[in-house]
Amino acid sequence: MAKNEEKIDAKKLAEELLNDKTHGAEKVGPKEMKKAQRFAEGYKEFLNRAKTERESVTWAVEAAEKAGFVPFDPQKKYKAGDRVYYNNRGKAMCLAVIGKKGCKEGVRIAAAHIDNPRIDLKPIPLYEASEQALLKTHYYGGIKKFQWVAIPLSMHGKIVRKDGTEITVNVGEREGDPQFTITDILPHLGKDQMAKTMSEAFTGEDLNILVGSLPLENAQGEQLFKLNVMNILHEQYDIVESDLISAEISFVPAFKAVDIGFDRSMIGAYGHDDRVCAYPALEAIFQCKTPDHTAVTVLADKEEVGSIGNTGLCSEYLRYFVADLAAAEGLEARHVWSKSNCLSADVTAAYDPNYASAYEAGNSCYLNRGVGVAKYTGSRGKGGSNDASAEFLGWVRRLFDEHQVLWQIGELGKVDQGGGGTVALDISRLNADVIDVGVPVLSMHAPFEVVSKLDVYATFQAFKAYFEAK
Ligand code: MN
Ligand code: MN
C-alpha cells in the first residue's frame, strides 16, 4: 500500500458487498412483530380446528364462503375480481381470484398441502389382548415411531356405513372428551428395548392404540373387551365392525397449539407441516382483491406419501382447474401453463443447534429470518427435486425485496445427510416455473413441531406480495 493511500473501511465495504446478517426481528421492527403475534392467534385457532386434510377443507370452505368465494362452475364466464373455489372430494381444494388480465399471461399459484404424518387405522383394527381393547394401525407419512408412543391421541375421520350413509368422527379434541394412547415399556423393564437401535425398537406392528379396558357388563361369552368397545361405538355412531372397512380414521396428537418460549416468539403444535404454509396461502388469497394475474391457492392432500391418489398433486385436478379457467377466456391451457408460475409452499428444516452436525450452518434456514426459499430440494445429487432457474429465483427475490418481505435462502440440511421432496416437482411437469418457499420448522414430522411467529407472518406477506404484484 502506498503511504498516502487511505485504509479501506472493511465494515462499510462488507455492508455493501456481503449478505445482510441483521436479525429478522430487528429488520422488521416492533410494529411488524406485533402484527406477527396477532396473525399467529388466527393460525393457532385453525390448527386446533383442522388436524386432518378433511377438517382443513371443511374449515377452508367455510372461511372461503365468508370471504366471498363461490363454487367454481366451468360453464360460467367470470370477470376480474370474481372469487371461486373447487372442492376436490372434501380432501383437497383450489381457490382462485380472477385477475384483470385473467390467465392471458399465466396464473400465479401458491400450493401447500394439508395432510400430515399420523397414525391411520387398519381395515380390521379392533382386537383384544390380555383384557385390553386395542386398535391395529398403519402409520401414514414419514414418522419416527418412538415419538408416537406415550402421548395423548385423538381420533378423526369418516366412516361410510354398509347402507351408504356417512358419519364424521372427532373424539378427543373437545373439553371432557376421552383420548387414546399407544403405550411404552417402563424404563425399569426396558432392558431389551434399550439394547435395540432406534429404528428397531418400535415396529409398525407395535403401534397399537389402547381404547378400552373393561369387559361388556353383565355378559357371558368370548371377546368381551372388544365387544364392549364395539358396543359403545354402535351406540354412539350406529356402526358395526364391518363399517370400519369403509372408513378413513386417523389418530393424531391431541395437543392444542400453544406459545413456546418466555418471549412467546414461537408456536408449538401438531401438523405445522404443512398447515403453516396452507394458512398463510389461504389468508393471502382471501385478502387478494383484484390482482393483475389470476391468483390460485391449492391445498393438496397426500403430499406426505408422495402426492398419490386423485386428491394428491400427481392427480390432474390442478391442471384441469387452470384449464377450465383458461377455456373460459378462450385460451389453450398449455399456453397458460407455460406462462404460469408457482410458489410451492412447504416447510423446510430450521437450523437446530442440538443437531448441528446435520446442517451446514452457512446454508441453512433459521428461526425468525423469514420465509425460507429453497432453489432445490431432493436428496443426493439434487435427485427428485425441482431446481428452480436463476431467472425465476431472481424474479422472486426482487418481488420479495420490493415488498419488504422478510426472506432467507437455505438447503434442507447437509449434502448427503438425507433430503426430501415437495409438490414442486409435480407442478413443474406442467411447464410452469416453480420454486420452493416455506416456513422453517424445528422437530419436523414429530407429534409436536415448532415454528416462529415472525416466519409464519413473513410467509403470509410473501404470498400476498406474489398475488398482488404486477
Ligand atoms: Mn410438507
Ligand atoms: Mn412433511
Side-chain angles (χ1 to χ4, degrees):
M1 191 193 295
K3 239 187 197 161
N4 52 359
E5 221 174 284
E6 241 182 86
K7 259 200 177 170
I8 294 168
D9 184 344
K11 199 176 156 221
K12 200 169 146 247
L13 194 63
E15 259 168 40
E16 278 169 33
L17 300 186
L18 302 185
N19 287 340
D20 184 5
K21 295 279 185 198
T22 317
H23 188 265
E26 197 183 320
K27 252 189 199 166
V28 303
K31 228 171 112 192
E32 288 293 298
M33 289 300 282
K34 269 216 185 85
K35 282 193 202 164
Q37 286 282 354
R38 262 205 305 278
F39 190 80
E41 292 308 306
Y43 174 48
K44 283 191 287 182
E45 262 173 53
F46 168 66
L47 283 168
N48 292 338
R49 281 212 20 218
K51 289 197 170 183
T52 62
E53 64 279 4
R54 285 184 193 274
E55 290 172 357
S56 298
V57 167
T58 301
W59 188 94
V61 166
E62 206 185 300
E65 288 186 345
K66 253 188 231 154
F69 286 75
V70 296
F72 178 58
D73 177 358
Q75 307 306 322
K76 248 184 101 175
K77 289 261 177 282
Y78 290 99
K79 57 177 193 316
D82 281 350
R83 301 151 88 75
V84 295
Y85 73 85
Y86 165 66
N87 178 345
N88 185 4
R89 298 167 168 89
K91 294 187 191 184
M93 199 172 167
C94 302
L95 302 97
V97 178
I98 309 301
K100 287 177 210 137
K101 295 181 183 169
C103 306
K104 207 163 56 214
E105 293 172 20
V107 299
R108 296 210 179 149
I109 303 165
H113 68 90
I114 46 176
D115 61 316
N116 328 114
R118 62 182 189 231
I119 313 273
D120 286 346
L121 288 192
K122 290 193 185 190
I124 305 173
L126 185 59
Y127 72 104
E128 70 171 62
S130 312
E131 307 192 335
Q132 291 179 7
L134 298 132
L135 296 172
K136 291 300 295 179
T137 68
H138 199 136
Y139 65 96
Y140 173 96
I143 64 167
K144 298 205 291 193
K145 298 184 188 83
F146 69 87
Q147 293 178 330
W148 293 73
V149 302
I151 61 167
L153 299 171
S154 57
M155 180 174 90
H156 301 246
K158 181 169 244 187
I159 304 166
V160 180
R161 299 189 192 93
K162 196 179 173 180
D163 65 4
T165 54
E166 297 176 356
I167 180 153
T168 297
V169 291
N170 179 310
V171 184
E173 294 293 338
R174 279 168 302 264
E175 195 66 37
D177 270 6
Q179 296 181 342
F180 313 92
T181 195
I182 299 167
T183 56
D184 195 1
I185 188 75
L186 57 165
H188 318 66
L189 301 178
K191 185 167 91 53
D192 296 348
Q193 184 193 58
M194 301 298 265
K196 291 179 185 167
T197 62
M198 278 167 106
S199 61
E200 287 164 346
F202 295 89
T203 69
E205 294 296 348
D206 290 335
L207 299 180
N208 303 314
I209 301 171
L210 182 61
V211 294
S213 67
L214 290 176
L216 187 67
E217 239 179 64
N218 217 355
Q220 269 188 340
E222 302 277 293
Q223 301 211 41
L224 295 181
F225 294 84
K226 170 177 172 172
L227 202 53
N228 192 39
V229 166
M230 201 57 240
N231 196 38
I232 293 166
L233 291 176
H234 179 69
E235 277 170 7
Q236 233 146 58
Y237 302 113
D238 192 22
I239 57 165
V240 297
E241 189 182 13
S242 68
D243 291 329
L244 295 175
I245 293 171
S246 46
E248 283 177 331
I249 298 180
S250 305
F251 283 74
V252 305
F255 320 130
K256 298 277 180 235
V258 293
D259 285 351
I260 295 286
F262 291 117
D263 56 11
R264 294 182 177 269
S265 60
M266 299 163 280
I267 306 167
Y270 162 68
H272 282 310
D273 175 9
D274 184 36
R275 286 173 303 149
V276 75
C277 296
Y279 182 78
L282 271 177
E283 285 299 313
I285 202 155
F286 290 165
Q287 292 190 23
C288 180
K289 292 284 178 290
T290 310
D292 266 22
H293 310 278
T294 294
V296 177
T297 284
V298 186
L299 305 180
D301 180 28
K302 295 282 191 286
E303 193 280 337
E304 295 296 355
V305 290
S307 297
I308 52 148
N310 54 13
T311 51
L313 274 180
C314 285
S315 156
E316 308 270 303
Y317 66 94
L318 172 62
R319 186 178 148 200
Y320 295 158
F321 183 68
V322 171
D324 284 339
L325 291 173
E329 295 175 26
L331 302 168
E332 282 284 354
R334 64 179 190 278
H335 297 151
V336 169
W337 270 115
S338 56
K339 287 179 212 146
S340 294
N341 54 48
C342 170
L343 301 183
S344 164
D346 206 345
V347 297
T348 186
Y351 186 86
D352 188 338
N354 282 327
Y355 304 95
S357 66
Y359 300 82
E360 191 258 289
N363 283 281
S364 291
C365 285
Y366 290 78
L367 288 187
N368 294 312
R369 289 190 173 270
V371 58
V373 178
K375 187 174 182 299
Y376 45 83
T377 58
S379 50
R380 298 176 307 281
K382 304 189 184 180
S385 88
N386 156 69
D387 197 353
S389 70
E391 291 88 342
F392 186 50
L393 183 44
W395 182 80
V396 168
R397 69 181 268 230
R398 239 176 4 259
L399 171 84
F400 288 173
D401 285 342
E402 276 166 16
H403 291 82
Q404 281 91 49
V405 173
L406 186 69
W407 67 278
Q408 56 184 325
I409 187 100
E411 290 196 33
L412 186 68
K414 215 161 70 171
V415 177
D416 287 342
Q417 182 72 21
T422 66
V423 299
L425 177 66
D426 309 310
I427 295 171
S428 69
R429 287 199 178 98
L430 296 161
N431 196 27
D433 275 306
V434 189
I435 193 161
D436 282 293
V437 305
V439 177
V441 178
L442 290 172
S443 305
M444 194 199 293
H445 281 207
F448 192 72
E449 305 174 312
V450 176
V451 297
S452 119
K453 291 179 182 177
L454 179 56
D455 298 338
V456 181
Y457 187 58
T459 302
F460 160 70
Q461 288 176 309
F463 296 139
K464 200 161 178 291
Y466 173 63
F467 286 154
E468 288 170 1
K470 298 245 173 250

